[in-house]
Amino acid sequence: KECIGFSGDNTGENISVKNPHYCELTGMYWIWKNCKESVVGLVHYRRYFFNSPLSKHIMTESEIEKSLKNHDVIIAQRGYTWMNNVEKNYCQKHTESDIELTRKAIKELYPDYSTCFEKVMKGNHYSQFNMIICRKEIFDDYCKWLFDVLGYVEKRLIVPLAERTKYEQRVFGFLSERLLVIWLMNHPEYKVLEKPVFNIEESMPVQRIVSVIKKVIVTFVK
């Protein structure tokens, strides 16, 4: 409600009023519809990309440019569900019917993505936080797909938003964290780079240790 020197997501073409349900995606939508820069991305007010698990500073513009010379998309280092697969983990934490609606949305709108959807749902990792940096044309293609799918789900929610807690009303932000890797998996032509994401308000040593463990797991699996 106060001007802090940045363009708000309530300017231009926007879905700012949906922020309680779409979370950071209202910022993503704003970038999609209003930005003309050749490279765009989304981070949070407290979460940022770092160059490595042991890095002590946020990725700089020059480091991002260097990374994009050999990669097409930068996303958050994968998060693991550990005990359950992605689908079961979501259903335990959130509203189960939302996953079924998302499955239906993809089958009806983008059936070519159904195989990747099931593979991710049966797997145990996904990209958290809806953070991404890439060329604008890639970003635009992803947003078109993402908001088509989420729009389908929004119109058909089995449990109305008004009947949910404030936390569970953030349904579209939660769903999109699982959808990003589905979209990328269906686009093997894009070379993806995972970078650690640290919350600057939380313990950095603990986050670095977790990030190193994740990196070791990925290396071992490969």
Side-chain angles (χ1 to χ4, degrees):
K1 296 181 181 180
E2 293 182 28
C3 178
I4 57 174
F6 296 94
S7 297
D9 72 351
N10 60 344
T11 60
E13 187 173 349
N14 69 83
I15 55 170
S16 183
V17 294
K18 295 185 178 183
N19 186 262
H21 318 307
Y22 276 76
C23 310
E24 59 274 354
L25 295 186
T26 60
M28 181 176 284
Y29 185 95
W30 188 93
I31 295 170
W32 174 32
K33 294 296 185 179
N34 298 284
C35 285
K36 304 299 181 184
E37 285 73 15
S38 59
V39 174
V40 295
L42 180 71
V43 296
H44 297 196
Y45 68 94
R46 60 179 180 170
R47 291 191 182 98
Y48 299 91
F49 287 110
F50 283 68
N51 230 355
S52 73
L54 301 180
S55 177
K56 294 185 178 181
H57 66 270
I58 295 167
M59 280 188 79
T60 63
E61 182 177 357
S62 61
E63 288 170 340
I64 291 171
E65 289 176 343
K66 183 178 180 180
S67 296
L68 290 177
K69 287 182 179 179
N70 299 312
H71 298 84
D72 299 296
V73 182
I74 299 172
I75 62 172
Q77 185 179 30
R78 67 190 66 185
Y80 288 89
T81 55
W82 304 112
M83 301 300 292
N84 291 311
N85 62 34
V86 171
E87 181 170 2
K88 289 181 180 178
N89 179 266
Y90 185 95
C91 293
Q92 286 181 345
K93 293 183 175 182
H94 307 295
T95 305
E96 184 173 353
S97 59
D98 296 338
I99 285 289
E100 283 305 317
L101 275 175
T102 304
R103 177 178 277 115
K104 184 178 179 181
I106 289 177
K107 282 184 178 180
E108 291 192 16
L109 300 177
Y110 297 98
D112 290 348
Y113 287 78
S114 290
T115 298
C116 292
F117 177 87
E118 297 303 334
K119 187 172 182 179
V120 170
M121 290 297 110
K122 299 299 185 289
N124 70 336
H125 61 85
Y126 61 98
S127 183
Q128 297 170 294
F129 314 129
N130 293 309
M131 291 170 60
I132 181 174
I133 302 175
C134 59
R135 298 192 307 276
K136 184 63 161 57
E137 60 267 25
I138 297 175
F139 189 90
D140 289 352
D141 287 345
Y142 171 59
C143 284
K144 172 64 169 61
W145 178 86
L146 175 66
F147 287 101
D148 279 352
V149 172
L150 295 180
Y152 180 104
V153 175
E154 183 178 14
K155 293 176 181 178
R156 296 165 175 80
L157 287 178
I158 294 173
V159 180
L161 293 172
E163 296 179 11
R164 305 183 185 215
T165 64
K166 285 188 176 181
Y167 180 74
E168 280 306 314
Q169 287 181 14
R170 296 159 59 181
V171 51
F172 308 110
F174 295 142
L175 286 173
S176 57
E177 288 183 294
R178 281 78 180 173
L179 291 172
L180 176 56
V181 287
I182 295 169
W183 189 82
L184 287 170
M185 188 181 293
N186 209 57
H187 288 274
E189 69 272 22
Y190 296 139
K191 192 171 182 181
V192 178
L193 176 64
E194 295 182 23
K195 285 291 186 180
V197 169
F198 296 146
N199 185 331
I200 60 174
E201 294 180 349
E202 297 180 357
S203 169
M204 295 301 283
V206 171
Q207 291 181 90
R208 289 193 176 101
I209 291 172
V210 172
S211 181
V212 169
I213 292 173
K214 288 180 179 178
K215 190 171 184 179
V216 170
I217 292 174
V218 171
T219 303
F220 179 77
V221 171
K222 287 181 179 180

